[in-house]
């Protein structure tokens, strides 16, 4: 029989492991140190997990996140307590509703702005959520949706989520100039092998490898300002999710 002392020791060990990962010197990784390494997860398992997740829903709305992405995102929200989440790519609004519920669960007075060029598929539930603003807009013209004047009014920390699969370079450059230390990009679905055979309407398969190259180029150019946060990106071992190198923190890494 396992005694009380054994559970106490296990709890202490698990918390110690988490503390080590959070505080290791290599947590905020330069992209130069990550290039050329192979993802840890098996290719078939990776793809099957993602494809099966497409049928999962939250309050009747498809979420389009697998269990790994959900774990990583909810950990990030709990840790940094974002006051503003900007989601580019709404689909049904399921992801926005789920994140809004996480904010409430963690007593975070945050607000979500969710954007899509096609709002016909957005569920009415999302439109009526008190801490969600649904916006119809073209992410190719991101400055027309979020002017600098508007961004100045949005409280930090920010999480900027790119799940629209267009204009990734423009989105990172535009928001990156206005982000503060401790804000995050989450550039989703950057693993082409994970999203292979996904529904063509989602345009994920076509865009994944292009998005990965774009964020690598951005990170190389801005290495002293933006780094991959390996605590989230490697939560399931090295790039062990559909979001390769996609959890990116802004901070001054030149010191």
């Amino acid at each position: 029989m396992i005694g009380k002392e054994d559970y106490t020791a296990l709890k202490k060990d698990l918390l110690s492991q988490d503390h080590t990962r959070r505080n290791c010197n290599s947590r905020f990784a330069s992209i130069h140190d990550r290039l050329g390494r192979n993802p840890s997860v098996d290719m078939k398992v990776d793809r099957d997990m993602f494809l099966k997740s497409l049928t999962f829903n939250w309050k009747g709305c498809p979420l389009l996140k697998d269990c790994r992405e959900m774990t990583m995102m909810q950990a990030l929200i709990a840790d940094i307590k974002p006051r503003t989440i900007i989601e580019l790519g709404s689909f049904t609004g399921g992801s926005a509703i789920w994140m809004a519920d996480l904010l409430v669960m963690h007593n975070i007075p945050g607000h979500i702005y969710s954007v899509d060029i096609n709002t016909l598929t957005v569920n009415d539930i999302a439109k009526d959520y008190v801490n969600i603003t649904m916006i119809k807009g073209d992410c190719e013209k991101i400055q027309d949706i979020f002017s600098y004047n508007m961004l100045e009014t949005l409280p930090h920390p920010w999480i900027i989520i790119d799940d629209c699969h267009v204009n990734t370079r423009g989105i990172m450059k535009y928001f990156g100039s206005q982000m503060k230390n401790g804000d995050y990009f989450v550039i989703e679905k950057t693993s082409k092998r994970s999203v292979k055979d996904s529904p063509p309407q989602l345009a994920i398969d076509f865009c994944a490898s292009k998005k990965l190259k774009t964020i690598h180029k951005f990170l190389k150019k801005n290495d002293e300002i933006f780094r991959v946060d390996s605590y989230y990106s490697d939560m399931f071992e090295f790039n062990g999710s559909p979001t390769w190198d996609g959890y990116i923190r802004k901070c001054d890494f030149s010191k």
Side-chain angles (χ1 to χ4, degrees), residues 13-252:
D13 181 56
L14 293 175
L15 290 174
S16 176
Q17 290 182 45
D18 184 65
H19 181 269
T20 299
R21 289 191 61 238
R22 288 179 181 275
N23 294 281
C24 68
N25 293 332
S26 59
R27 171 174 173 175
F28 301 107
S30 168
I31 194 60
H32 299 288
D33 296 329
R34 295 177 66 85
L35 295 176
R37 294 180 60 185
N38 293 322
S40 59
V41 69
D42 176 78
M43 183 183 299
K44 185 178 186 305
V45 172
D46 190 19
R47 185 166 63 249
D48 288 349
M49 287 181 69
F50 176 75
L51 292 177
K52 293 295 184 182
S53 75
L54 297 179
T55 61
F56 179 72
N57 70 80
W58 185 260
K59 294 186 175 179
C61 304
L63 196 58
L64 300 189
K65 281 180 171 56
D66 72 14
C67 57
R68 296 166 294 175
E69 294 174 295
M70 293 178 70
T71 301
M72 293 151 60
M73 179 59 73
Q74 64 187 352
L76 176 62
I77 288 175
D79 287 344
I80 75 165
K81 296 176 171 49
R83 296 292 307 280
T84 300
I85 298 177
I86 295 176
E87 178 190 49
L88 306 176
S90 308
F91 191 36
T92 66
S95 179
I97 295 170
W98 173 67
M99 291 188 294
D101 287 344
L102 286 176
L103 292 177
V104 172
M105 183 175 70
H106 290 289
N107 296 312
I108 302 170
H111 195 86
I112 297 169
Y113 298 86
S114 187
V115 180
D116 208 296
I117 196 170
N118 176 16
T119 57
L120 295 177
T121 57
V122 175
N123 194 294
D124 288 339
I125 299 175
K127 297 176 183 177
D128 295 333
Y129 249 60
V130 66
N131 55 347
I132 297 176
T133 298
M134 304 300 304
I135 302 172
K136 182 175 182 178
D138 184 356
C139 291
E140 292 279 11
K141 303 174 182 177
I142 197 67
Q143 70 281 357
D144 293 343
I145 307 171
F146 297 98
S147 67
Y148 285 141
N149 287 338
M150 178 183 178
L151 292 179
E152 288 178 358
T153 69
L154 302 182
H156 297 259
W158 291 357
I159 298 177
I160 310 296
I161 303 170
D162 173 7
D163 202 18
C164 61
H165 316 301
V166 298
N167 193 29
T168 299
R169 176 181 176 276
I171 288 166
M172 297 187 76
K173 182 178 180 181
Y174 187 77
F175 285 109
S177 67
Q178 303 300 305
M179 293 167 71
K180 295 183 178 181
N181 288 351
D183 291 343
Y184 277 79
F185 281 119
V186 178
I187 312 298
E188 296 190 329
K189 315 296 189 299
T190 52
S191 163
K192 184 174 176 63
R193 77 174 199 181
S194 301
V195 301
K196 183 177 174 59
D197 302 324
S198 60
Q201 298 95 321
L202 298 177
I204 300 175
D205 193 349
F206 173 75
C207 298
S209 59
K210 183 179 179 181
K211 288 179 73 174
L212 186 63
K213 291 177 182 177
T214 298
I215 65 173
H216 284 173
K217 186 174 181 179
F218 177 88
L219 290 170
K220 288 177 183 177
K221 185 176 181 180
N222 299 280
D223 187 57
E224 293 187 346
I225 306 173
F226 290 95
R227 295 279 178 91
V228 177
D229 189 341
S230 64
Y231 179 80
Y232 305 109
S233 288
D234 301 339
M235 187 168 283
F236 299 94
E237 299 302 332
F238 183 78
N239 275 337
S241 81
T243 301
W244 292 359
D245 298 327
Y247 279 73
I248 300 166
R249 179 186 171 103
K250 182 170 186 177
C251 199
D252 184 1

